[in-house]
Amino acid sequence: MKLWRHKATQSIRTGEPRSRFFMQVKPLIVLLCLGLMFYVYSNWQNWLEKLDDRPISAFNLVGTPAFTTDEDVRDMLIKMGDLKGFFGQDVSLVREQIQKMPWVKQAVVRKIWPDRLNILVSEYTPVAVWNDNEFLSSDGVVFKLPVDKLQDKNLPHLAGPDYQSLVVLDAWKKIYQDLKTKGLTLKSVAIDDREAWQLELDNGVLLKLGRGEWKSKLDRFATIYPQIEVPENKKLSYVDLRYKVGAAVGMVDINE
């Protein structure tokens, strides 16, 4: 019994230095692991790029975009220079480049093994010409689009400061319907920096409405218009409705 107790005590004592040694080296092991993880994190992109045996050299424009063509995408990719391989190429850079096309709302880019891109674009749809050289989407976004890409050539013409785009678009919808009930067709709506409104009918007659509400002024125009006498060889140019009552009219020669 004494011998057994002596050995047990000796065994416990010889284990203490090992435990103390482990506690001393444990922080070093943790630091080594953290250092290794940081090294891997910092260099994984370089290692993946070394696995690329060829750069991305093809793309597929998926879906049925109305305006974006393969040539458009190819031109934008060429501007990026040489693309990297499947592992090394950052698709977010490609997406940003594609979205530089002014009519593209959003792009989704995916890599397809081994050297191809799938590109899906979401485009703005023009509902009106804006300030003669731009276009307006249904949510009031002003954007550019080459005229040769435009399919609908009969869009309404709207004009004004860009920050008023949604206001003008909303006014167009309401005024168009109001004039339609009066047997008239609206062609364009414009608002200037002073928030004065001007309309143009499909027959070329300008309606100067000025600032403020327009409903009562259009009602007055509908009453006055049939009573306007136009001299021979003349045509009605404008009707100025900025007065509290009545209106002023302007005539031009037919040949002008």
Side-chain angles (χ1 to χ4, degrees):
M1 294 295 292
K2 291 181 179 180
L3 181 61
W4 178 82
R5 289 177 181 175
H6 176 71
K7 284 187 175 181
T9 303
Q10 188 178 29
S11 176
I12 294 173
R13 288 176 179 176
T14 56
E16 290 178 357
R18 295 180 181 178
S19 177
R20 189 179 300 113
F21 174 77
F22 178 75
M23 293 299 295
Q24 291 175 348
V25 300
K26 183 177 180 181
L28 296 177
I29 296 175
V30 173
L31 289 175
L32 181 62
C33 291
L34 291 175
L36 181 61
M37 292 172 61
F38 178 76
Y39 178 76
V40 172
Y41 175 79
S42 301
N43 293 275
W44 73 273
Q45 187 69 28
N46 293 332
W47 293 340
L48 288 178
E49 289 180 6
K50 291 179 181 179
L51 296 176
D52 289 336
D53 57 353
R54 55 182 174 180
I56 290 175
S57 58
F59 70 88
N60 182 30
L61 182 60
V62 299
T64 55
F67 311 116
T68 308
T69 65
D70 288 342
E71 289 73 19
D72 294 326
V73 175
R74 185 177 296 108
D75 290 343
M76 298 306 289
L77 294 179
I78 289 174
K79 291 178 181 178
M80 294 184 66
D82 294 334
L83 298 179
K84 297 181 181 180
F86 180 86
F87 294 109
Q89 182 58 54
D90 186 349
V91 293
S92 65
L93 298 178
V94 179
R95 182 181 67 251
E96 291 172 3
Q97 183 70 11
I98 298 299
Q99 289 177 172
K100 288 181 180 180
M101 289 186 282
W103 61 88
V104 173
K105 182 190 303 183
Q106 190 175 11
V108 177
V109 181
R110 291 188 175 91
K111 291 182 285 189
I112 305 298
W113 176 266
D115 61 352
R116 184 164 56 90
L117 296 175
N118 263 15
I119 300 175
L120 174 67
V121 297
S122 173
E123 302 170 320
Y124 293 110
T125 300
V127 297
V129 178
W130 181 252
N131 289 331
D132 294 328
N133 58 6
E134 294 179 305
F135 294 90
L136 208 60
S137 70
S138 59
D139 51 356
V141 175
V142 178
F143 67 97
K144 290 185 177 295
L145 178 71
V147 177
D148 58 353
K149 290 181 176 291
L150 187 64
Q151 300 169 356
D152 186 356
K153 304 297 183 180
N154 297 313
L155 293 176
H157 286 247
L158 309 181
D162 285 354
Y163 67 88
Q164 293 275 41
S165 61
L166 200 55
V167 173
V168 178
L169 182 60
D170 184 60
W172 160 269
K173 296 174 182 178
K174 294 176 181 178
I175 295 173
Y176 182 88
Q177 292 298 326
D178 187 61
L179 289 177
K180 186 177 180 180
T181 62
K182 296 175 171 59
L184 301 168
T185 302
L186 184 62
K187 179 181 179 182
S188 71
V189 174
I191 187 173
D192 62 21
D193 293 333
R194 297 178 56 255
E195 298 188 355
W197 294 93
Q198 179 170 285
L199 316 179
E200 183 181 0
L201 304 181
D202 65 338
N203 59 7
V205 176
L206 296 179
L207 305 183
K208 300 179 181 182
L209 305 183
R211 302 172 65 181
E213 66 85 28
W214 45 264
K215 184 68 171 61
S216 62
K217 297 173 183 178
L218 292 182
D219 291 341
R220 192 194 322 160
F221 170 73
T223 302
I224 295 173
Y225 187 49
Q227 304 175 23
I228 298 175
E229 296 183 1
V230 181
E232 189 177 353
N233 298 324
K234 295 284 186 178
K235 64 179 180 180
L236 184 62
S237 175
Y238 68 85
V239 178
D240 192 340
L241 298 158
R242 292 176 292 179
Y243 305 92
K244 291 184 178 181
V245 294
V249 299
M251 308 283 180
V252 294
D253 293 335
I254 291 178
N255 295 328
E256 290 187 9

